[in-house]
Every structure is written in C-alpha cells, then in structure tokens.
Amino acid sequence: IPVLQTTFAFTAITVALELAIGLAFALILVKPFRGRGLVRAGQFGAGAPAGTEAMAAYVQGVVNAGGIVVLLDRSNAYGSLHPDAAHAWVRGALPEIASLVEVFMGDALVCGPGIRPFLWRGAFQGCAGSPAEYGGTNEGLFERDRGELAELQVTSVSYLDDGGMAAGRDVPINNLARAVQLVRASGERAGLRLNLAKCKVLVPVDRLDSPEVNDLLRRIGGGITACTGTTVLGVPVGPQEYVRAATTA
C-alpha cells in the first residue's frame, strides 16, 4: 500500500536522524567542552547520571534539614523556548555540532494522521535532541544570575523543564522570593513562562502555615500553594508517612 510505504519510509528516516542527533549530544556532553559547567551546575537532566533520583534526593535532603524548595512548572516549556536563544547556546557551548543542530531544529513540516500539517521551528516534545538543547539553554540563560544566587544562598536545581529553588532553614524568605523572580525573568528572555498555579512551595511540617511561608506565597503570587509532601519527577518527597503512603498505595 503506497500510503503505508511512505509512512514507514518517513518513520525510518526521521527516527534515524533523531537518534543521530541525540547520540551526538550525549557523546559531547560527557566530554569537556566550553559551557559544560553551565549544563551540569544545576541540570541533573543533561549529562548527569541518575538525574531524576539525584534531584528528588536533593530536594528531600533540603526539606529534611528544615529548608524550603520552590518547585517550578513552566507552561509548554519545549514549545515556548525561542529557537534563537537555543541556537545561541549551542553555538557557544557546542560549536562542533552547531550547524547540524540548527538544520534539525530549523523549519520542519509536522504532519500525520488526523493532524493538519504545519511548520515548526525549534525544540519539540519527543525530539531526541531537544531535551539537551532545552536544558543547556535554560542553564545558560540563568548563568548571569548565579553570582546573585550565591549571595542569596539559594540553589537552583533542575531536571530539564522541572526545576526548583532551594534554600536552607536560616535563609531569609525574601532571598527565596528574589531567586524566584530571577529565574522567572531569565526564562522570559527566551519565551519561557512560569505557570505559578502549578508551582509548589515544599516545606517541612513544622513550617507549614507559618507567617514566613505565607509571606513567601504572597511575595511570589500567582496562586502558588505550599505543601509538605509531593512528587518530584515521579518520586514521592516529604515526611516519611507521606512517602510510605505514596509508595505503598
């Protein structure tokens, strides 16, 4: 059947190309390159082993020590990332494959059964190379603010489009609110926007409903809420009772 032959040929070619660019990113990310520190400084998802477990364990450790983590959610993260910002990061950090990446991330016709064909340019959910490009671009955007973050004593942690801002128990609430403003502004420079209604402030049990946490919620705004237990990349994080209940349900 001609239609099936065309579909199989298209699938074979595109999957092979996606695999090639994904492997290219993976091979380069494990080697020294300019900008590698940006990717691995706060990105558990790009070139870091066991990224999901590492981020969940980090968040759990902060809360166990009495700290607070603001878990951030971005609206349509891959689709909103401006291609020019992503390409700029690739050219600076991975010049060896910059031209190849720009070709694969350039204008493409998206089509399929039940889909009205349209042109798309940039990162795409399901593309093998998009996660690394997104993660690196996100960290590169935020690099200019790392000095202020250090002064604020707030740590940025991310796994691709899942991120958070973590602060120890003794760090002033205003510092954490300021850090969220920084990451919000850095993302908006490349078209990324926080969905504050889906963001969460993860706190120890003894700090829930405290004046300082309520003040933090007010400062961040946007309908953000506080909780003592949630899932981070599918891993339950919070008090032992919450984790036990979530893992045995």
Side-chain angles (χ1 to χ4, degrees):
I1 301 175
V3 174
L4 288 178
Q5 291 176 345
T6 302
T7 301
F8 286 138
F10 177 79
T11 302
I13 294 171
T14 55
V15 169
L17 292 175
E18 295 276 3
L19 178 62
I21 193 171
L23 287 174
F25 268 112
L27 290 173
I28 291 177
L29 283 170
V30 298
K31 297 179 180 180
F33 65 85
R34 184 177 54 178
R36 183 185 183 196
L38 305 188
V39 179
R40 304 194 69 167
Q43 268 290 345
F44 291 118
T52 56
E53 295 87 347
M55 180 171 170
Y58 183 87
V59 171
Q60 182 70 71
V62 171
V63 177
N64 285 350
I68 295 176
V69 181
V70 181
L71 298 170
L72 304 174
D73 180 90
R74 295 193 186 277
S75 302
N76 186 25
Y78 283 19
S80 298
L81 178 64
H82 199 286
D84 290 343
H87 293 167
W89 174 78
V90 173
R91 286 193 295 270
L94 305 171
E96 300 90 344
I97 63 169
S99 297
L100 180 64
V101 171
E102 290 191 23
V103 170
F104 284 120
M105 297 294 178
D107 291 340
L109 178 64
V110 180
C111 57
I115 299 176
R116 177 177 295 179
F118 64 95
L119 284 176
W120 183 263
R121 174 174 175 256
F124 199 86
Q125 192 74 37
C127 169
S130 290
E133 186 177 35
Y134 175 90
T137 304
N138 194 34
E139 286 301 306
L141 287 168
F142 203 52
E143 180 63 15
R144 62 193 279 181
D145 299 315
R146 289 199 183 281
E148 185 173 351
L149 263 189
E151 294 177 3
L152 294 172
Q153 298 178 285
V154 176
T155 302
S156 168
V157 292
S158 301
Y159 185 94
L160 302 178
D161 55 332
D162 291 282
M165 310 301 293
R169 190 177 191 97
D170 297 329
V171 175
I173 287 297
N174 320 351
N175 293 21
L176 195 50
R178 171 59 182 161
V180 173
Q181 290 177 350
L182 288 175
V183 74
R184 188 176 185 176
S186 71
E188 289 178 351
R189 290 195 291 268
L192 302 173
R193 298 188 179 279
L194 292 180
N195 183 355
L196 291 174
K198 289 188 176 181
C199 297
K200 297 179 182 178
V201 177
L202 184 62
V203 302
V205 174
D206 65 334
R207 301 183 74 177
L208 185 65
D209 294 327
S210 64
E212 59 182 358
V213 169
N214 289 334
D215 184 42
L216 176 62
L217 298 178
R218 180 185 60 79
R219 287 172 180 271
I220 296 175
I224 192 170
T225 58
C227 63
T228 58
T230 188
T231 56
V232 176
L233 297 167
V235 180
V237 172
Q240 289 186 358
E241 298 78 9
Y242 173 85
V243 174
R244 189 179 302 113
T247 53
T248 58

